[in-house]
């Protein structure tokens, strides 16, 4: 039987994937205490976890992973026995405009967490990474864990740097580290700067859907709940020092995804508008998750059409969540980003 974890520090648990993860833990493993450290950047949102805020097994701390003193205090005071690091700046387009904060949070923040974990003697540290660290694929082949890291955006370069620091802490200090690298997620609570919720929101408002370049870039989509179950499997059953790719074998061009969502919403394809391509835009991502499926006994449970319908349904039934977000900083971001 594996180790039993009691007090887990989850960072970035008010963001998209982190909030889905803490909600899953609270529902399925109520005996575990989650200490949720989040800086509440533009992407962090307490509304995502409002149902947990008065629960005894969830402690929210508003703070930054770059704050060494705070991290040290949390590790000691809450007797943390495992860390799952979701906290990050996560949007490629923002990293192109302002790379500095990506280096600060994703590289410096991760190294502070590792450093303090090592000093406190924390047993297990899971770094939530991304398939984007591998760079871009040609027409064939898939990402396997042994490929070299060839990141192309400031975002992916900052995540690759964090992965390498994790590797160094494992090799040098024998820190108990697992790294997971997942493909593109979609589902409830995703901030509408990312492709899928942005397109859903625009389509609902009969606004143009800005497709970069020719729209034939390929992403390998995974429903967020399946990512969460894979992270938990890796945290509980993964082997120290190993890297696990996570994906759903679900490659689609951006146009295929957008046409499918327009069909679900009964909106016309005339809303599609081809715009200037993203600089350094990776052409294709595809994950080989054989190792994770085999070694961790994990498999995805939601097929794309079902996940897409669930996601659209969630945005349709949470108009307040989305309208609160798009009334704030998002408006300025959207204007600057899309020149409208
Ligand atoms: P997100 O942007 O929705 O959420 C990030 C969260 O981290 C926010 O709540 C934010 O407030 C918090 N945060 C940011 N800087 C912080 C700091 N310095 N200290 C503490 N908290 C901070 O991101 P997401 O899409 O949920 O991604 C979560 C993780 O998963 C990231 O590490 C990302 O690289 C990785 N990932 C994302 C995807 C995807 O498709 N979204 C795929 C693979 C891996
Ligand atoms: P995104 O959600 O930003 O994820 P990532 O770049 O990390 O894969 O983008 C997914 C794909 O959608 C990517 O190929 C870029 C494309 N895209 C658009 O065509 N238009 C947009 O407005 C956005 C945000 C993304």
């Amino acid at each position: 039987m594996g180790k039993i974890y009691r007090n887990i520090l989850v960072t970035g648990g008010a963001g998209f994937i982190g909030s889905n993860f803490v909600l899953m833990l609270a529902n399925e493993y109520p005996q575990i205490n989650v200490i949720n450290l989040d800086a509440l950047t533009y992407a962090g949102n307490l509304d995502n976890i409002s149902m947990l805020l008065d629960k005894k097994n969830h402690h929210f701390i508003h703070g930054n992973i770059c704050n060494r003193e705070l991290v040290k205090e949390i590790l000691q005071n809450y007797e943390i026995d495992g860390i799952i690091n979701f906290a990050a700046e996560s949007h490629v387009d923002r990293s192109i405009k302002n790379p500095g904060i990506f280096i600060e949070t994703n590289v410096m923040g991760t190294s502070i967490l590792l450093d303090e974990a090592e000093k406190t003697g924390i047993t297990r540290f899971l770094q939530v990474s991304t398939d984007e660290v591998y760079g871009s694929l040609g027409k064939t082949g898939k990402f396997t864990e042994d490929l070299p890291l060839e990141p192309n955006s400031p975002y992916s370069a900052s995540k690759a740097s964090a992965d390498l620091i994790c590797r160094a802490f494992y090799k040098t200090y024998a820190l108990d580290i697992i790294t997971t690298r997942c493909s593109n997620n979609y589902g409830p609570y995703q901030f509408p700067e990312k492709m899928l919720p942005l397109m859903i929101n625009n389509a609902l408002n009969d606004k143009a859907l800005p497709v970069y370049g020719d729209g034939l870039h390929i992403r390998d989509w995974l429903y967020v709940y399946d990512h969460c179950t894979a992270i938990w499997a890796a945290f509980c059953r993964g082997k120290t020092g190993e890297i696990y790719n996570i994906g759903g074998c679900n490659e689609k061009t951006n146009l295929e995804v957008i046409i499918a969502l327009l069909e679900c919403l009964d909106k016309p394809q005339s809303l599609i508008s081809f715009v200037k391509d993203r600089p350094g835009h990776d052409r294709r991502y595809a994950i080989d998750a054989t190792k994770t499926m085999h070694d961790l006994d994990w498999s995805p449970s939601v097929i794309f059409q079902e996940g897409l319908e669930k996601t659209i349904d969630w945005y349709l039934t949470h108009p307040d969540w989305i309208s609160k977000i798009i009334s704030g900083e998002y408006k300025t971001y959207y204007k600057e980003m899309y020149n409208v």
Side-chain angles (χ1 to χ4, degrees), residues 15-17 38-39 41 44 64-65 86 88 90 105 129 155 159 183 185:
F16 164 48
I17 306 172
D38 195 299
T41 66
N64 198 309
I65 58 166
F86 290 92
S90 68
T105 289
S129 187
Y155 162 67
K159 294 294 291 185
S183 57
N185 285 211

Side-chain angles (χ1 to χ4, degrees), residues 270-287:
S270 56
L271 285 175
I272 292 174
S273 159
F274 291 94
V275 300
K276 195 163 156 264
D277 209 349
R278 169 191 279 172
H281 194 174
D282 287 338
R283 191 68 175 166
R284 175 171 167 256
Y285 301 148
I287 283 269

Side-chain angles (χ1 to χ4, degrees), residues 7-11 35 37 61 65 67-84 109-125 175:
N7 303 312
I8 299 180
L9 173 64
V10 173
T11 69
I35 292 76
L37 172 64
I61 299 171
I65 58 166
N67 182 341
R68 186 180 287 277
E69 283 312 308
L70 175 66
V71 169
K72 191 191 284 182
E73 210 180 285
I74 293 171
L75 298 187
Q76 287 171 356
N77 291 355
Y78 288 91
E79 298 178 2
I80 299 293
D81 47 17
I83 301 178
I84 303 181
T110 303
S111 72
I112 286 169
L113 285 174
L114 288 166
D115 210 18
E116 291 308 318
E118 200 271 320
K119 284 183 187 146
T120 323
I122 302 293
T123 48
R124 179 142 281 205
F125 187 108
L175 196 66

Side-chain angles (χ1 to χ4, degrees), residues 91 132 184 193 195 199 210 212 219 254 278 281 338:
H91 191 39
E132 303 194 23
N184 287 62
E193 66 191 351
M195 195 266 261
M199 301 298 175
Y212 298 160
R219 297 293 182 263
N254 293 337
R278 169 191 279 172
H281 194 174
Y338 295 96

